[in-house]
Amino acid sequence: MSGDHAHELPFWRKHIFSVDHKTIGVQYAITALLFMLVGLLMMLIMRWQLANPAQAIPGIGNLLGEANAPGGVVLPDFYNQLGAMHGTIMIFLGVVPLAVGGFGNYVMPLQIGAPDMAFPKLNMMSYWVYFVGGVIMLASFWVTGGAAQSGWTSYPPLANIASFGQTIWLIGMIFLITSSLLGSVNFIVTILHLRVEGLTFARLPFFVWAQFITSFLLLLAFPPLEVAGILQLADRVLHTSFFMPSGLVISGEVLDIAGGGNPLLYQHLFWFLAHPEVYVLILPAFGIVTEIIACNTRKPIYGYKTMVNATIFLGFMSFLVWAHHMYLVGMSTKMSMFFQITTMIISIPSVILLTSLLLSLWGGAIRYNTPMLFALAFLPMFAIGGLTGLPLGLAGADIHLHDTYYVIGHFHYVVAPGTIFALFAGIYFWFPKVTGRVMNETLGKIHFFFSLICINGVFMPMFMQGLAGVSRRLWDPTQYAHAQPTQPLNVFILYAAIGLGLAQIPFIINFFWSAFKGKQVDNNPWQATTLEWIAPSPPPHGNFSKVPSVYRGPYEYSVPGQSDDFWLQSDEGKK
Amino acid sequence: MSEAVIKHIADPHPVTGVTNSKLGIWCFIASEVMLFGGLFSTYILLRTGAGADWPIGSDLLNVPLATLNTMILITSSITMVMAWASLTINKFGAYKKYMTLTVLLGVAFLIVKSFEYGMKFEHHIYPSKNNFYAIYFVMTGLHVLHVIGGLVVNLYLLLPGSKLWHKAPEQFMGRIEAAGLYWHFVDLVWIFLFPTLYLL
């Protein structure tokens, strides 16, 4: 913005402390991918323990430290740390930063024709606050007693009396929340104020809509979690009793605290965030998939307006369903009734989104390239995740399924083969814009098919285990008679999980190889219609050589009477 | 690349009618409402849960000092508006005067608050004593952090940040307005905190 782009910026201003939304987007994406790799490795250690309880992990077992895994055998405490940190890392350090921080930052300003975000310095600050939060989280493994071990939900009183790692977790969370808040303000102002001339809300690419609603969810849902975090921090550091009931007995002794607090208060504050958070995880994924499906079917999205309205309604409703995570805490039946009804209502807009995308395929000339394969796989995977959620939304069925592997299977189907597949689709799709080169199709297809098979091998058996009543967060399921019949499934899941880990190797090779040696392509390799494809690849500082104007909607593919089968939003031709 | 200029930094957007920074600060305030909303909900839940055991605030807390602090903060809100109004009629000297007053009143609030906290600590009253003091210290403490944040911003706009007035007066006025909105919000939080904690 200041007139300094005439001369080259020094390296550290250009690539490290950059205020350019594209650099920040790439920083977010790479950091988030690294964190997701860490989360994946944690998962593999846990799966080994579940498949081979109390047996030494070959090879890497000895690297985990004598305090965590003596002789390579994972201790129960360390298992709990891995469980809590896997969830925290995947959600708060992996998927959301990649979907919102990475894709949102890189693609959204380009799609609305803006030179940058509305507050570039704030944008840089969001990234670095996130980075510090992530480092704090990881560092907690090395403090006395290890990392947080009360689950990613950190329910008190358990979390209140946990070891020092929990305090570090809370401090890390406050950093991550702050980063998200700063980012969401930036997104909202950018989308409202910096759209180019002609880009009305009715012509906005669905990806931008998804980011817009997501930002509102982040803005309004995160502060209550911050309250929960601050109060838990006070309970742990100042020895208050916000979440500590009177007369709490631990190890046979009554705790010397003031008491009078309410553990349920934490759950309400937590889920008031964490349910909208589910939609923060899924809406950007829908945005990415919509762009890719429209482009690769060569036809307009079916029901674009309906999808936008459904998303707005979804965002609003997501604030009214949080207690469906809490049917078993002893709420009154009237409360349960209310939350069951709102939960059934909120499934409707999700189904509208999915159905519209499915109908968009009808009659399309589908190009089966790697991004499209991932986007297509997203649809049934998300559908499995969504439909298995319905029994959990009904209090009667939830009594049996609560806290079992069924729940794990359900939300992983939404987030892992759902959102993460959409994110992979997005990486393959926008890679040419970021680097000027396409990713290798063969490696991409190997990555896709092996991931698809293995990820279903990991999560599908969990439904069976959950229906058999196996609880989540068990260190050794063979200790329980009812879990023994499903133990062979744990061995199967281990093999599938290792396969899933190995399936990521072609992606990693492809990512780095293509970035430097991939096939060079022009600005619009997919022949798409939205504004980011008229910018040079990679776009320079300021993005567009000439500020574009928009004359039509985002998905004008195969318009009758046009010579090309795509019609750029910025193309001034008359119809 | 000369066109790579971010729009609506100083000129309001024709549809929303505000500048980037003003829209941003309103969004930020919306999230702050949710933050303090969560805390007030916590207060209500703890209090209804405790029933008759919950103390009456005026029996335990120093109402005269808090009344004084209420006056101080409301006055500082007025001086903040005067600082902004001085700029609209192009009186930079008056702006400096009123902004200095705003900062001094903010500091005065903190001094009074520290006396209040100090008197509690002298009697060995800490947040861990009971949930009334716990929520009192956490809510007022968080409010104090917000006051300190506002003071830092105001001090910046008073001293090094005021150079912008000579380069881009519209943008500078926008910053003062945004800082003012935040400062009024901090004031408003106190106006809710005072009766809730001290009087009820």
Side-chain angles (χ1 to χ4, degrees), chain B residues 7 57 61 72 77 81 83 92 102 112 117 131 134 149 152 167 169 177-178:
Chain B
K7 291 184 291 181
L61 302 176
I72 290 174
S77 261
V81 175
F92 188 63
T102 310
V112 173
Y117 280 169
N131 268 342
V152 170
K167 281 195 291 185
E177 206 179 350

Side-chain angles (χ1 to χ4, degrees), chain A residues 115 117 119-120 185 189 192-195 219-220 223 227 231 238-242 258-262 265 272 541-542, chain B residues 1 3-8 13 16 18-20 23-24 27 31 34-35 39 42 45-46 127-129 131 134-135 138:
Chain A
M117 298 287 273
F119 308 111
V185 170
V189 175
L192 277 174
H193 274 182
L194 299 190
R195 283 169 291 125
L219 183 76
L220 299 178
V227 170
L231 296 182
L238 304 173
H239 306 294
T240 55
S241 305
F242 289 116
N262 190 341
L265 171 62
F272 190 84
H541 188 66
Chain B
M1 245 181 277
E3 298 188 74
V5 176
I6 295 165
K7 291 184 291 181
H8 308 302
H13 187 277
T16 58
V18 289
T19 56
N20 289 347
L23 185 64
C27 288
S31 86
M34 295 301 287
L35 180 78
L39 284 167
T42 303
L45 194 120
L46 289 174
S128 54
K129 187 172 167 68
N131 268 342
I135 194 85
V138 166

Side-chain angles (χ1 to χ4, degrees), chain A residues 118-322:
Chain A
F119 308 111
K121 283 178 195 153
L122 199 68
N123 203 13
M124 176 180 82
M125 195 171 143
S126 305
Y127 171 74
W128 284 104
V129 171
Y130 152 72
F131 184 81
V132 171
V135 170
I136 290 175
M137 282 287 183
L138 277 188
S140 69
F141 272 103
W142 283 273
V143 301
T144 324
Q149 44 186 297
S150 313
W152 79 281
T153 51
S154 287
Y155 277 5
L158 185 64
N160 277 13
I161 56 167
S163 65
F164 183 61
Q166 183 65 27
T167 305
I168 307 283
W169 186 89
L170 289 166
I171 294 168
M173 278 310 291
I174 288 172
F175 273 88
L176 298 177
I177 293 167
T178 309
S179 160
S180 282
L181 286 177
L182 298 177
S184 63
V185 170
N186 216 340
F187 274 60
I188 291 171
V189 175
T190 306
I191 295 171
L192 277 174
H193 274 182
L194 299 190
R195 283 169 291 125
V196 285
E197 204 190 324
L199 189 56
T200 58
F201 270 97
R203 290 173 177 173
L204 216 51
F206 185 72
F207 177 80
V208 180
W209 265 111
Q211 293 285 345
F212 189 54
I213 304 296
T214 303
S215 299
F216 273 103
L217 298 184
L218 287 172
L219 183 76
L220 299 178
F222 256 129
L225 180 72
E226 193 153 23
V227 170
I230 290 168
L231 296 182
Q232 195 175 88
L233 201 60
D235 273 5
R236 292 179 55 87
V237 178
L238 304 173
H239 306 294
T240 55
S241 305
F242 289 116
F243 303 134
M244 300 292 262
S246 305
L248 190 68
V249 177
I250 288 167
S251 311
E253 282 184 41
V254 178
L255 222 57
D256 180 28
I257 47 159
N262 190 341
L264 269 188
L265 171 62
Y266 178 88
Q267 295 193 20
H268 279 294
L269 291 169
F270 180 85
W271 287 113
F272 190 84
L273 155 92
H275 201 80
E277 178 79 10
V278 173
Y279 295 97
V280 170
L281 293 167
I282 202 67
L283 283 179
F286 267 113
I288 293 168
V289 167
T290 305
E291 298 300 311
I292 293 170
I293 284 186
C295 176
N296 287 314
T297 54
R298 313 308 290 167
K299 64 191 277 283
I301 284 294
Y302 177 91
Y304 164 82
K305 262 189 190 160
T306 319
M307 283 179 76
V308 168
N309 288 328
T311 310
I312 295 169
F313 181 66
L314 190 78
F316 173 74
M317 282 304 289
S318 70
F319 286 97
L320 298 174
V321 296
W322 78 89

Side-chain angles (χ1 to χ4, degrees), chain B residues 152-172:
Chain B
V152 170
V153 171
N154 288 350
L155 212 56
Y156 170 79
L157 291 172
L158 175 65
L159 300 171
S162 67
K163 282 188 202 125
L164 188 67
W165 167 255
H166 306 291
K167 281 195 291 185
E170 288 288 319
Q171 196 185 344
F172 183 66

